[in-house]
Amino acid sequence: MGPFEVPSIGLGCMNVSHAYGVPATSEAAERLLRTALEEGVTHFDTAALYGFGANEELVGRVLAAHRERIVLASKCGMTGVDGRRVIDGRPETIRRTADEALGRLRTDVIDLYYLHRLDRAVPVEESVGAMAELVTAGKVRALGLSEVSAPTLRRAHAVHPIAALQNEYSLWSRNPEQGTLATAHELGVALVAFSPLARGFLTSAPPDPGGLPAGDIRRGMPRFDDRHYPGNLLLRHELERIAGEAGVTLAQLALAWVVSRGPHVVAIPGTRSVSHLRENLAVLDAVVPAEALDAAGRVLNASTVHGARYNEAALAEIDTERCGRAG
């Protein structure tokens, strides 16, 4: 991943502070991060947006003493302003956000700094140019992008080398296969797969859409609504059968599939559960038959999934390629 060597499974830290119902307690969140460190996780991913700064503060509080042992990733370009999520890729905003992040993370340098979203009002060259200045200033070591298309990746890479592209990638979100998976490989860019477990759908405890708390991001996602969720559950049952025959859990099958997509692909599943954390990390030592991975990919893919990954308003905000009927 750019100048860094990381295992193919890292930790996405968003879940404990943002988007999925009520945030975890400080005690539970700190326990999860410490356990991840003990279990050998070296790649931790956060963002200024998550908890509107609370997640960066958590990561800094828990991991600052172990800074030399980890690859620390965070993001700019999308933050909380007066209680609202705002996309802002202006150079002055990026510089300010970086300084704020360094303080919250209790570090002098961020290893990997992403542009969280492309601001359509600001050319990507201007945003990445400001981020490149952070590298020159010694505040950031490497740059990344998130939720962008292959053409945007190329434009950014021409301004400054891009170390990592973080896009959603899982059995049911195949958008990278429309261009960014191959382009990233060509340019020597790591593809960092977020939501590799389909926002909890491909775990031992899939969400009950009717019981999701107010504010849970999945309440607005078509794949979890009444029209589409029953059909997706039928596909999930078939995946459970494949996983059982392969001797792994459904989550392990799903993660193994993602990291098998190329030598440049790494995954950052998030969780609030220590047991799920350990289950996910066990993929690093698991041997999943290629036949099982192929079968899983045939069962759940862009052609078989029910519903788009985002609603139309959210899709309008992102720059990634759309993928068939799945958006």
Side-chain angles (χ1 to χ4, degrees), residues 34 147 210 244 309:
R34 290 195 180 95
E147 289 277 53
R309 70 186 183 110

Side-chain angles (χ1 to χ4, degrees), residues 154-266:
R154 289 187 184 280
R155 287 170 55 194
H157 195 70
V159 174
H160 187 279
I162 300 299
L165 171 62
Q166 185 175 141
N167 280 3
E168 183 172 358
Y169 195 26
S170 67
L171 282 164
W172 80 357
S173 291
R174 303 295 191 91
N175 305 70
E177 295 171 5
Q178 301 302 306
T180 50
L181 182 66
T183 301
H185 188 265
E186 173 195 336
L187 298 177
V189 176
L191 181 71
V192 179
F194 78 82
S195 295
L197 296 177
R199 302 183 185 275
F201 180 71
L202 297 176
T203 68
S204 59
D208 170 15
L212 293 174
D216 192 296
I217 193 173
R218 292 167 291 188
R219 290 173 66 96
M221 293 181 168
R223 291 176 181 173
F224 292 94
D225 68 25
D226 292 340
R227 295 172 297 158
H228 301 117
Y229 200 63
N232 288 326
L233 283 177
L234 292 176
L235 299 173
R236 185 184 185 282
H237 294 327
E238 182 62 14
L239 291 173
E240 288 180 309
R241 181 191 64 79
I242 295 169
E245 292 179 354
V248 294
T249 67
L250 176 56
Q252 289 168 344
L253 174 67
L255 287 174
W257 183 89
V258 170
V259 299
S260 74
R261 296 303 91 189
H264 62 310
V265 179
V266 300

Side-chain angles (χ1 to χ4, degrees), residues 46-47 73-79 86-91 93-95 97 112-120 122-131 134 140 142-148 152-153 156 162 164-167 194 319:
T46 182
S74 193
K75 308 177 192 71
C76 62
M78 186 162 63
T79 58
V86 174
I87 296 174
D88 185 349
R90 293 175 298 171
T93 303
I94 287 172
R95 288 190 287 267
T97 304
L112 176 58
Y113 206 42
Y114 292 94
L115 183 67
H116 204 160
R117 290 289 186 276
L118 175 67
D119 183 344
R120 297 189 183 281
V122 180
V124 69
E125 291 85 354
E126 291 186 19
S127 298
V128 172
M131 296 168 71
L134 297 174
V140 170
L143 301 185
L145 302 173
S146 180
E147 289 277 53
V148 304
T152 300
L153 173 60
I162 300 299
L165 171 62
Q166 185 175 141
N167 280 3
F194 78 82
D319 179 58

Side-chain angles (χ1 to χ4, degrees), residues 18-19 49-50 52 77-88 116-118 217 310-311 313-318:
H18 190 84
L49 177 71
Y50 303 159
F52 292 4
M78 186 162 63
T79 58
V81 179
D82 297 328
R84 297 184 302 110
R85 179 178 60 83
V86 174
I87 296 174
D88 185 349
H116 204 160
R117 290 289 186 276
L118 175 67
I217 193 173
Y310 289 129
N311 59 37
L315 285 172
E317 290 185 345
I318 58 177

Side-chain angles (χ1 to χ4, degrees), residues 65 72 98 152 214 247 271 286:
L72 179 61
T152 300
T271 184

